[in-house]
Amino acid sequence: MEVIKVKNYEQLSKKAAKLICDMINNKKDSVMCFATGSTPVGTFQEMVDCYTQKRVTFKNTKAFFLDEYCLNHPRLFEHSNKYFLEYNFFNKVNIEEKNIFGFDQNIQNADKTIAQMNERLAENPIDILILGIGENGHIGYNEPEDCDFSSTCHLAKLSIKTRLSQRKYFYDADEVPKYAITLGIADILKAKKIFLLASGLNKASAISKLLQEEQNTCFPASALLQHDNVTIIVDEAAASLYDK
Ligand code: GLP
């Protein structure tokens, strides 16, 4: 695993965006896959800046969602990953709508949306996957409680810890989803290139575990040790326990 340590969140976002845009410039029809959460927001903004300055084009790219909440009321859809990615990235660049592969947020349609995602993944292998990491080591919504390194796209029950960390995005605790659809670990490992981004002291313990421990399903991110093309970009705060 390559580890790139930068000073702060701003540097992390710039570095990640530069590496990703360079890859897209080398392969204009790259297939990307995006995590959501607060960590990649700066990277998305930098990628948007590259696009507006005509240093990259997303015209021929495709994009998968890494995961999506199951939200059982349309009133909550503004909290979806779809809304988040449209707001932070898709609506600001020239990617074509037909090339964006998301999930149906209605849990009643989970089987259908998972089958459709499996077909699309088979037809469009992911070139560039941008991951964040949960404080408990989850990637996507592959949670430590029921992680399986051979898993493919599936319906996942969110852990209490994850639900608590997502609480800030909802008005009411009852609205925080209990389930999400996520690409599985096996899907993630099929990506040709993986960037894992981590910023802040709250990620320091997870990063230190990832870089010092062996593969263990109780720590889902450790599956990345199997992959031969992972770049972890961390700021000083997130790297602080690893360095000691
Ligand atoms: C969520 C997402 C992950 C994301 C993680 C970290 O649970 N499913 O894909 O990487 O949170 O989020 P943040 O970047 O806000 O810390």
Side-chain angles (χ1 to χ4, degrees), residues 35-40 66-67 131-134 138 140-141 162 166 169 203:
T36 52
S38 49
T39 311
L66 177 65
D67 49 33
L131 284 181
I133 185 168
H138 76 224
Y141 279 118
T162 298
Q166 304 298 308
Y169 299 119
K203 298 295 169 72

Side-chain angles (χ1 to χ4, degrees), residues 177-193:
K178 296 187 175 67
Y179 292 91
I181 299 178
T182 183
L183 297 200
I185 297 284
D187 299 319
I188 289 172
L189 292 177
K190 275 190 199 148
K192 289 181 200 139
K193 173 77 197 178

Side-chain angles (χ1 to χ4, degrees), residues 70-236:
C70 292
L71 299 164
N72 45 21
H73 198 287
R75 139 183 88 81
L76 299 175
F77 285 177
E78 68 184 81
H79 301 290
S80 66
N81 291 348
K82 177 177 191 304
Y83 185 93
F84 176 94
L85 284 171
E86 283 174 354
Y87 178 80
N88 285 294
F89 188 68
F90 297 140
N91 289 351
K92 298 179 176 172
V93 298
N94 62 341
I95 189 164
E96 292 193 36
E97 208 176 325
K98 69 177 170 55
N99 290 334
I100 300 172
F101 306 138
F103 297 101
D104 190 328
Q105 294 146 28
N106 187 338
I107 194 167
Q108 309 300 335
N109 302 335
D111 287 349
K112 197 170 155 215
T113 196
I114 288 169
Q116 188 182 45
M117 188 56 83
N118 285 333
E119 265 174 42
R120 284 171 164 170
L121 284 167
E123 285 162 12
N124 302 280
I126 297 170
D127 295 300
I128 308 167
L129 172 55
I130 305 170
L131 284 181
I133 185 168
E135 289 173 36
N136 62 359
H138 76 224
I139 47 176
Y141 279 118
N142 294 278
E143 296 278 30
E145 288 76 7
D146 56 4
C147 180
D148 170 359
F149 284 0
S150 61
S151 64
T152 53
C153 185
H154 62 282
L155 188 65
K157 186 162 192 238
L158 302 187
S159 70
I160 297 289
K161 193 159 186 180
T162 298
R163 293 188 68 221
L164 284 173
S165 74
Q166 304 298 308
R167 170 69 182 88
K168 59 180 181 281
Y169 299 119
F170 294 84
Y171 303 118
D172 199 311
D174 290 346
E175 292 178 346
V176 183
K178 296 187 175 67
Y179 292 91
I181 299 178
T182 183
L183 297 200
I185 297 284
D187 299 319
I188 289 172
L189 292 177
K190 275 190 199 148
K192 289 181 200 139
K193 173 77 197 178
I194 299 175
F195 292 100
L196 184 139
L197 315 179
S199 168
L201 271 182
N202 61 326
K203 298 295 169 72
S205 164
I207 289 301
S208 140
K209 263 190 167 179
L210 173 59
L211 295 173
Q212 290 171 20
E213 286 199 3
E214 311 223 311
Q215 290 183 52
N216 178 348
T217 52
C218 297
F219 190 71
S222 66
L224 300 176
L225 295 165
Q226 290 178 32
H227 197 283
D228 61 5
N229 200 354
V230 178
T231 296
I232 302 181
I233 310 179
V234 277
D235 63 10
E236 284 179 0

